[in-house]
Amino acid sequence: VNRLGLVLITIAFCFFTGSVNAQRERTELEFPDIPGYVTLKCEFHMHTVFSDGSVWPPVRVDEAWREGYDAISITDHLEYLPHRHDMVLTNFNRSYELAKGTARSLDLLLVRAAELTRGEPPGHWNLLFLKDANAIPTKDYREALRAARKQEAFVFWNHPGWKQPNRKSKWYDEQQEAFTNGWLHGIEIVNGSEYDPIAHQWCLDKKLTMVGNSDLHGPSAQEYGPATGKRRPVTLVFAKEKSLGSLKEALFSRRTAVCANNFIYGEKKYLHPLFDQWIEVKTPSLTIRPKGRALLQVHNDGELDLVLASNGQVDGVGFPETITLSAGKTVALDLRRTEAALEPGTRLELPYSVQNMKIAPDHALSVRIGFVLARPGKN
Ligand SMILES: [Zn+2]
Ligand SMILES: [Zn+2]
């Protein structure tokens, strides 16, 4: 190859790698649909240069798509605008408008939203599904919440413990008033890496919707992902279909769960089917001779490593007290048969509680891992 040839090859190579770098890639979040619902992976709290964030709005959409999300809302502050000396900030719909085209081309649902930002109380509130963010008055927060209600917005209270002593969330008269008036529909039980058990319990007691969000200000990759070892929060929304209308209906109907820091929080009726979708017993029929041993193979197809602790006994069979079902792996559980009286064909169910699937702050999800005792020589 002569010199010109080398130059041409180099140029061709640069073009080739250039086009590879330009390829967009999405890492799917392994939260499957549950019976009756599409599981939408969502994030409802992040900022851009249009308030105190450092990224341009379409970047938020691109990041979210790459990280496996189906729906997001950009929630720039209505009041706190530190970039106002660098940019003309008069249109509170602008971040949504700029991000909309990218969202459409990536088939990601983008919710028009804003963050109402007050001292505590009443604190910070995210207003989702706004029709016009400019029509939210910013002087009197009650007027703002009233206007959001008029626009049929879904409103949640952000990071309730943020400014409280010891981060202990407090339910103020202002919250009670908003709750009574139907202005408040959900609470952040996770903000960034912080889980709030008090807010979690409020959602259960007061029938409010649980959400968990990043509250990102800088680029997502700086705070989350493989390089940091930190998981970006996900609000799972169990919707009738993937559309903005269904997303909104599901949020008002409290069909959510929150995944953050390798935990998942939600009601049993959503966590149980999710566990069932994730876990598969690979050896559903197993021979264990009297006084013998066998390995029960259990596969976890989900997004999280699940940590299980036994919460009961099974007559005639001993099984591990604690197990970790690693995401994407099959684990072989060591079983011991202690009793000869078990009939072949008996279905056995190993009782466990999943330590990192929480149906209440102090309550882990109870599950059963079942198999049938086979006739010797059958498997
Ligand atoms: Zn805030
Ligand atoms: Zn915020």
Side-chain angles (χ1 to χ4, degrees):
V1 191
N2 62 20
R3 225 180 126 152
L4 179 66
L6 272 177
V7 169
L8 287 176
I9 288 166
T10 309
I11 290 170
F13 184 73
C14 290
F15 269 108
F16 176 70
T17 52
S19 71
V20 166
N21 287 341
Q23 179 175 301
R24 275 186 162 112
E25 277 188 355
R26 173 174 166 98
T27 305
E28 295 292 346
L29 291 166
E30 298 300 330
F31 297 103
D33 296 341
I34 61 171
Y37 298 111
V38 175
T39 301
L40 298 177
K41 285 82 78 180
C42 309
E43 231 273 58
F44 300 119
H45 192 166
M46 63 197 80
H47 297 270
T48 74
V49 289
F50 283 81
S51 57
D52 56 345
S54 64
V55 311
W56 189 244
V59 176
R60 287 289 179 230
V61 176
D62 193 64
E63 286 172 341
W65 182 83
R66 286 171 188 272
E67 294 169 23
Y69 291 83
D70 302 308
I72 64 163
S73 58
I74 294 170
T75 50
D76 280 315
H77 299 286
L78 291 170
E79 301 93 334
Y80 183 56
L81 304 166
H83 301 160
R84 65 154 68 80
H85 304 297
D86 302 302
M87 299 167 66
V88 183
L89 294 174
T90 52
N91 178 1
F92 294 113
N93 294 310
R94 193 65 186 139
S95 44
Y96 168 82
E97 285 164 2
L98 285 165
K100 206 168 53 174
T102 310
R104 198 185 303 121
S105 66
L106 289 171
D107 192 29
L108 186 133
L109 301 175
L110 181 66
V111 177
R112 190 194 299 260
E115 180 170 7
L116 187 71
T117 313
R118 296 312 171 98
E120 205 71 70
H124 296 192
W125 309 63
N126 272 357
L127 321 175
L128 268 55
F129 299 98
L130 289 175
K131 294 183 172 98
D132 180 6
N134 293 324
I136 302 296
T138 51
K139 247 191 169 148
D140 176 356
Y141 85 90
R142 287 185 177 85
E143 285 306 315
L145 292 178
R146 221 171 261 134
R149 185 84 202 103
K150 226 166 127 193
Q151 292 192 26
E152 294 165 10
F154 175 84
V155 176
F156 62 84
W157 181 18
N158 302 343
H159 45 69
W162 182 43
K163 294 272 177 160
Q164 300 305 316
N166 302 318
R167 303 219 161 202
K168 253 185 108 117
S169 294
K170 194 172 164 210
W171 187 266
Y172 287 97
D173 291 345
E174 283 78 353
Q175 267 69 41
Q176 186 55 39
E177 181 194 12
F179 176 66
T180 309
N181 289 343
W183 299 340
L184 175 64
H185 314 114
I187 314 180
E188 265 185 353
I189 67 162
V190 168
N191 179 278
S193 56
E194 213 159 318
Y195 161 66
D196 183 338
I198 299 172
H200 186 183
Q201 194 60 50
W202 282 338
C203 286
L204 297 172
D205 296 342
K206 300 172 194 297
K207 301 274 175 267
L208 290 163
T209 304
M210 298 173 207
V211 292
N213 302 304
S214 66
D215 202 353
L216 272 173
H217 288 74
S220 177
Q222 230 165 48
E223 286 183 49
Y224 299 107
T228 64
K230 279 168 68 188
R231 176 186 291 280
R232 183 170 168 185
V234 189
T235 300
L236 303 175
V237 180
F238 306 105
K240 288 177 181 155
E241 56 175 40
K242 186 184 170 185
S243 71
L244 284 170
S246 283
L247 174 62
K248 186 174 175 181
E249 186 274 330
L251 282 170
F252 273 110
S253 304
R254 307 181 56 245
R255 292 199 305 270
T256 65
V258 171
C259 178
N261 306 325
N262 295 314
F263 277 81
I264 177 158
Y265 310 96
E267 288 182 75
K268 189 175 156 188
K269 59 186 169 186
Y270 305 122
L271 297 200
H272 214 289
L274 198 61
F275 180 85
D276 289 342
Q277 296 290 323
W278 275 353
I279 299 303
E280 186 194 352
V281 176
K282 292 282 194 185
T283 51
S285 166
L286 200 63
T287 305
I288 323 177
R289 286 165 213 286
K291 304 246 157 102
R293 303 174 92 94
L295 294 171
L296 179 71
Q297 295 190 31
V298 183
H299 181 71
N300 176 2
D301 205 23
E303 179 66 28
L304 292 189
D305 296 348
L306 297 178
V307 181
L308 277 64
S310 72
N311 61 0
Q313 311 244 307
V314 175
D315 282 345
V317 174
F319 54 94
E321 257 178 42
T322 56
I323 46 176
T324 299
L325 301 175
S326 303
K329 310 266 189 205
T330 301
V331 173
L333 306 185
D334 197 3
L335 307 188
R336 273 171 298 107
R337 186 154 159 196
T338 54
E339 200 181 296
L342 287 171
E343 281 294 312
T346 305
R347 186 174 166 79
L348 298 173
E349 299 204 318
L350 311 180
Y352 281 103
S353 61
V354 188
Q355 304 301 292
N356 55 337
M357 292 183 95
K358 297 279 200 183
I359 58 172
D362 298 315
H363 237 93
L365 178 75
S366 281
V367 296
R368 296 278 178 276
I369 296 178
F371 65 97
V372 173
L373 200 63
R375 224 164 279 283
K378 202 171 157 261
N379 61 323

